[in-house]
Amino acid sequence: MAEKNKFGTFAGVFTPSILTILGVIMYMRLGWVVGNAGLIGAIAIIIIAHVIAITTGLSVSSVATDKKIGAGGIYYVLSRSMGIPIGGSIGIALYVGTAFSIALYLIGFAESFNSFFGYGMSVNDFRITGTIALVSLTALALISTSFALKTQFFILGAIVLSLISIFLGSTEFAPQSVSMLSTEGGASLEVVFAIFFPAVTGFTAGIAMSGDLKDPKKSIPVGTLLAIAVGLVVYIILAVFFAYNVNSEVLKNDYNFLMKIAFFAPAVAAGIWGATLSSALGGILGGPRILQAMSMDKVTPKFFGKGRGASNEPVNALFLVFIIAEAGILIGELDVIARVVSMFYLAAYGFINISYFLESWANPDFQPTFKIKRWIGLVGFIACFSVMFKLDMVAMLGAFAVIGLLYFGLQRKEVKIQSNDVWRSVWENIVNKGLKRIDDKVDENANWNPNIILFSGKSDHQSYLLELGKTVSGRTGIVTNFKLILDKKNNKPLKKAEQTIRNHTYKELGIFARQIKVDNIYTGITNIASTFGFSGVEPNTIMMGWPKGLENSSEYFKMTETLLHLDYNLLYLDFDKKTKFGTYSTVDLWWRETDSKNAEMMLNIARFIIASPKWNSTNIRVLFVNNNNVDITIIESKIAALVDDLRVNVTIKIINNAVEQRPFYTIIEEESCTTDLTLVGIPNYRIEKQAEFVLKTSNLFESIGSTLLVKAANNFNELDLDVIKGNLGSTELAELVE
């Protein structure tokens, strides 16, 4: 869809969401809820339902701001965060729930429409009216999505006028005393809740339009949560108003009592019809987009992924939504449809919440711009399935079974336990399957999870190297520190039990520690790098201190050549004993055109650094030396696009050097002399130039603070930094680079 046709927060998220929330249940069943549950019971039901809506809204908003969002709404964000199996299983449940909810709204419309005009009030009459409305709305959706969304503003106005008419209405049905608790002979609270719950599911209408939004990361959290909040206030106010102005018998037995108490009945009719039809239209627009997105991911048949026109309108998917909605209309009973819809949405919302909880707990790459507490997802999960259990345990188990089958079907994975020791077998199977999946999976750069071999040595500042090693590994990365014991003879290696080091420092940092005997430090490092690790958990990074004074060492030369050949990520820390890491408040990333792989690794490291408590208020700068008088705006836009894609908040500084042509390291000395931590890429220098590179780099370190040199392995992406092909960034480094 062209950018000019995309929608903002109000039109794209808030309006479709609030129109669905203030829909058929509010007009046709909220009075019945108050009549059966009493005022206190009704408010309790409203609040419990909104606990689920709010926690789910918060969870999905947080996940939605972590990734780029395309078409498919909740399915899209969950499938990209949690993978296709769980995203697909939840997406299918939501899709069916959305399609059935269309029938819910249209049966509610039929009840009001037929009553107002004196048409038949039988189930068959509702089916006929509902079917005609469904055909009409489907035709509208086929004609123009944009026009369909624009009609929402008129409907929203009609709802506001209808509420005003209700509040200004007659009090002829006012009770002598307000019923606070459920009345005798009324429906059970479980049944009342099940029928009411679809009222709060409307917030997904806006999320389903994610592919048609100008700025989904901003619009989804703001629009969704605002709609839920407004809906909560309106429902509580209406519940209190009904309890004090209409007696419980009228509330329980007359679904159209609003027409009788309203100041101007046609305004209420217009509000009911507008709300129910717009809610149904929201499902007709959103449901096909969920199915289309799933089909494009091959979760559902490819046929439903085909669209029409330049904006790829999901015509094929729309017809399936029509069929499912029509099946719901043929049921004809609003209360029955409401209970079915409740189960689908409760199951889906429960998994959405637990997905967010697991994502925030286990994924080191989860950095949403909309941050909430992790426990909110867990509360939402517990609330959803507690309510499901209370409403209908059999239906809950059925929902679990269906979603579970969908999940395992999409995952195509079997788990078998074959041991007498059940618990031991469970853990062994989980570890075994997990390692096999990791080992079989191609290493994807976007989800780089560090597995670091750290050689910290024994020094006064060892703790700082350990600290930084753990920081750049993130919350779930692995760091194994090796202490090399030099033994020229090395006749007997240490026993296996002696090789493991366990002390408070390593335990507190979460670092594994080993010690081994070696007859030569450099060959020891080479041997460990060549052999350490096992399938599924292979080390990918070597980290150690910067080798001052070793520029002429042939052994160091050979070790470096081997590490480069093994294709490890290399991290060298030059630790400034005087300034240490300063105030942990500034980090500089130095980029040049030849640093394309190193640049992506630096951004990954920066993302892990700012997630650390000590560095959480850090200011990060990306500095780029412009040696060729390229337009600054071109360079800034290119770097900004790369930085935005990896979700790291940074300041970009372009340094013009076309005229002066100052050496790269001289510029670093001037700009980063007071920086707490500076990251500089190691170029692809010719190996025979290593001594020269080490010497010049050591001289640089005398003028700046703690510095981390970065050399990325080949599995990192090459970021497009080359603003002018063939430009190497500086004469000094051009002599070193291949």
Side-chain angles (χ1 to χ4, degrees):
M1 180 177 285
E3 186 67 23
K4 64 180 181 180
N5 293 326
K6 288 182 177 281
F7 306 101
T9 301
F10 187 79
V13 181
F14 174 81
T15 303
S17 296
I18 196 64
L19 289 181
T20 310
I21 290 170
L22 304 181
V24 62
I25 299 298
M26 182 183 79
Y27 285 108
M28 306 299 295
R29 290 297 183 270
L30 181 58
W32 178 85
V33 169
V34 175
N36 281 277
L39 179 57
I40 293 176
I43 291 177
I45 287 171
I46 292 170
I47 291 175
I48 292 171
H50 277 85
V51 166
I52 295 173
I54 291 169
T55 54
T56 306
L58 288 169
S59 293
V60 77
S61 294
S62 186
V63 175
T65 60
D66 179 57
K67 308 287 183 186
K68 287 185 176 180
I69 306 169
I74 290 174
Y75 160 73
Y76 186 93
V77 296
L78 289 179
S79 62
R80 269 52 182 179
S81 297
M82 302 298 295
I84 292 294
I86 195 165
S89 57
I90 293 173
I92 292 172
L94 271 176
Y95 169 74
V96 175
T98 299
F100 268 112
S101 70
I102 297 169
L104 171 73
Y105 303 133
L106 293 182
I107 291 297
F109 164 79
E111 282 188 11
S112 174
F113 186 88
N114 287 12
S115 174
F116 186 82
F117 286 105
Y119 296 155
M121 295 295 289
S122 69
V123 172
N124 284 333
D125 294 319
F126 295 157
R127 289 167 178 162
I128 293 171
T129 304
T131 299
I132 293 172
L134 177 62
V135 171
S136 302
L137 292 177
T138 303
L140 177 60
L142 286 170
I143 293 170
S144 173
T145 299
S146 179
F147 175 76
L149 285 175
K150 288 175 182 176
T151 62
Q152 296 177 132
F153 301 116
F154 298 102
I155 296 169
L156 184 59
I159 290 174
V160 172
L161 290 176
S162 72
L163 291 174
I164 293 173
S165 180
I166 291 169
F167 289 125
L168 294 178
S170 168
T171 59
E172 65 175 296
F173 297 106
Q176 293 182 347
S177 61
V178 177
S179 177
M180 291 293 178
L181 301 173
S182 58
T183 57
E184 186 176 349
S188 67
L189 292 179
E190 290 86 351
V191 172
V192 175
F193 183 93
I195 291 172
F196 172 79
F197 184 74
V200 302
T201 62
F203 67 86
T204 57
I207 299 172
M209 299 298 294
S210 59
D212 300 304
L213 300 175
K214 292 178 183 176
D215 187 359
K217 290 189 177 183
K218 176 185 176 183
S219 296
I220 287 178
V222 175
T224 299
L225 297 176
L226 185 59
I228 293 172
V230 171
L232 173 61
V233 172
V234 171
Y235 273 105
I236 290 179
I237 291 174
L238 277 176
V240 173
F241 179 83
F242 292 163
Y244 279 91
N245 289 276
V246 185
N247 68 69
S248 60
E249 288 304 310
V250 172
L251 292 174
K252 284 192 294 185
N253 298 308
D254 189 353
Y255 294 148
N256 292 291
F257 75 94
L258 290 177
M259 306 290 289
K260 299 174 182 177
I261 70 169
F263 176 78
F264 183 60
V268 176
I272 294 174
W273 301 344
T276 52
L277 292 176
S278 67
S279 298
L281 183 59
I284 289 171
L285 293 175
R289 283 163 169 76
I290 297 174
L291 180 59
Q292 184 183 46
M294 291 191 294
S295 297
M296 292 174 70
D297 287 341
K298 300 180 180 179
V299 172
T300 48
K302 191 176 180 181
F303 171 80
F304 297 113
K306 296 179 180 179
R308 181 191 66 185
S311 57
N312 197 32
E313 288 293 329
V315 178
N316 294 349
L318 175 59
F319 286 121
L320 183 60
V321 168
F322 177 91
I323 292 170
I324 297 174
E326 180 60 22
I329 288 173
L330 293 177
I331 294 175
E333 295 284 346
L334 188 147
D335 293 350
V336 173
I337 301 171
R339 296 188 70 176
V340 172
V341 170
S342 291
M343 279 297 163
F344 275 109
Y345 274 108
L346 280 167
Y349 289 179
F351 281 102
I352 289 168
N353 280 294
I354 198 62
S355 295
Y356 162 75
F357 174 79
L358 294 173
E359 178 86 344
S360 63
W361 172 60
N363 186 357
D365 201 31
F366 186 67
Q367 297 289 333
T369 56
F370 181 79
K371 299 180 183 295
I372 62 172
K373 297 294 184 181
R374 185 183 304 158
W375 56 262
I376 290 174
L378 188 60
V379 168
F381 172 78
I382 294 171
C384 285
F385 290 107
S386 296
V387 168
M388 286 183 72
F389 181 85
K390 186 67 175 174
L391 292 181
D392 192 337
M393 186 178 68
V394 174
M396 181 194 74
L397 294 174
F400 277 160
V402 171
I403 292 178
L405 287 172
L406 290 170
Y407 174 81
F408 286 108
L410 293 171
Q411 192 184 42
R412 294 178 181 178
K413 171 186 172 183
E414 292 182 6
V415 177
K416 297 179 180 179
I417 298 175
Q418 298 177 343
S419 175
N420 294 327
D421 186 349
V422 175
W423 290 109
R424 183 180 178 87
S425 295
V426 167
W427 285 110
E428 287 180 348
N429 212 329
I430 290 173
V431 172
N432 183 33
K433 295 289 184 181
L435 289 174
K436 285 181 179 178
R437 284 180 61 83
I438 295 171
D439 194 42
D440 291 342
K441 190 174 181 181
V442 176
D443 193 13
E444 295 179 0
N445 306 324
N447 295 320
W448 177 61
N449 200 15
N451 187 340
I452 299 174
I453 298 177
L454 177 62
F455 299 100
S456 64
K458 186 63 179 175
S459 65
D460 295 336
H461 57 269
Q462 180 195 30
S463 61
Y464 290 95
L465 183 56
L466 294 173
E467 173 194 312
L468 186 64
K470 186 57 184 174
T471 297
V472 301
S473 72
R475 287 183 288 122
T476 59
I478 300 172
V479 180
T480 305
N481 181 72
F482 276 90
K483 176 184 177 182
L484 303 183
I485 302 172
L486 186 60
D487 182 357
K488 293 290 186 179
K489 295 181 179 179
N490 194 18
N491 294 325
K492 292 183 180 179
L494 294 174
K495 295 179 180 178
K496 293 293 292 181
E498 296 173 340
Q499 292 179 18
T500 301
I501 304 175
R502 292 186 176 90
N503 62 37
H504 178 73
T505 300
Y506 295 123
K507 184 177 181 180
E508 186 175 336
L509 289 171
I511 292 177
F512 300 103
R514 300 288 184 270
Q515 60 180 358
I516 62 171
K517 286 184 179 180
V518 296
D519 55 12
N520 180 282
I521 295 294
Y522 305 107
T523 56
I525 291 175
T526 301
N527 290 336
I528 291 170
S530 302
T531 59
F532 182 70
F534 53 95
S535 296
V537 192
E538 297 286 355
N540 52 34
T541 306
I542 301 291
M543 185 173 182
M544 65 181 77
W546 178 249
K548 288 183 179 178
L550 295 177
E551 56 269 13
N552 295 315
S553 170
S554 60
E555 292 178 319
Y556 178 76
F557 171 97
K558 186 176 180 181
M559 178 198 75
T560 303
E561 192 173 28
T562 302
L563 295 179
L564 290 171
H565 174 74
L566 291 171
D567 200 26
Y568 273 100
N569 303 303
L570 301 182
L571 299 176
Y572 294 101
L573 175 66
D574 179 78
F575 181 73
D576 191 306
K577 298 178 183 178
K578 189 177 297 182
T579 62
K580 300 181 173 58
F581 293 128
T583 58
Y584 294 85
S585 59
T586 54
V587 174
D588 285 351
L589 312 182
W590 283 91
W591 286 4
R592 50 181 173 261
E593 292 90 335
T594 54
D595 266 344
S596 59
K597 292 180 182 293
N598 294 340
E600 189 189 28
M601 186 176 180
M602 286 186 204
L603 284 177
N604 278 276
I605 291 172
R607 191 164 63 248
F608 291 138
I609 286 176
I610 61 176
S612 172
K614 282 190 176 182
W615 296 89
N616 61 7
S617 59
T618 297
N619 295 315
I620 296 178
R621 296 193 302 168
V622 168
L623 300 104
F624 190 93
V625 180
N626 183 12
N627 291 306
N628 294 281
N629 202 27
V630 178
D631 187 341
I632 288 179
T633 58
I634 295 176
I635 304 175
E636 283 184 338
S637 62
K638 180 173 287 192
I639 294 176
L642 297 172
V643 169
D644 180 66
D645 189 51
L646 285 167
R647 307 182 311 284
V648 176
N649 295 321
V650 302
T651 301
I652 299 169
K653 183 172 183 178
I654 309 301
I655 301 163
N656 285 319
N657 193 41
V659 177
E660 297 181 4
Q661 289 291 317
R662 290 177 296 162
F664 184 60
Y665 279 2
T666 300
I667 298 173
I668 295 177
E669 290 175 10
E670 294 174 358
E671 294 287 341
S672 298
C673 58
T674 60
T675 302
D676 295 330
L677 180 62
T678 302
L679 274 66
V680 181
I682 300 175
N684 295 321
Y685 56 76
R686 294 190 295 272
I687 200 69
E688 64 269 18
K689 294 285 186 177
Q690 177 177 268
E692 182 182 349
F693 172 74
V694 172
L695 183 60
K696 289 183 177 181
T697 305
S698 295
N699 291 334
L700 167 68
F701 294 154
E702 297 299 323
S703 305
I704 60 177
S706 295
T707 307
L708 186 67
L709 265 73
V710 175
K711 174 64 177 173
N714 287 322
N715 63 319
F716 272 95
N717 288 320
E718 291 191 9
L719 300 186
D720 183 14
L721 300 177
D722 198 356
V723 293
I724 290 184
K725 298 298 180 184
N727 175 29
L728 297 175
S730 78
T731 303
E732 178 183 10
L733 286 172
E735 297 174 354
L736 298 174
V737 178
E738 292 178 332

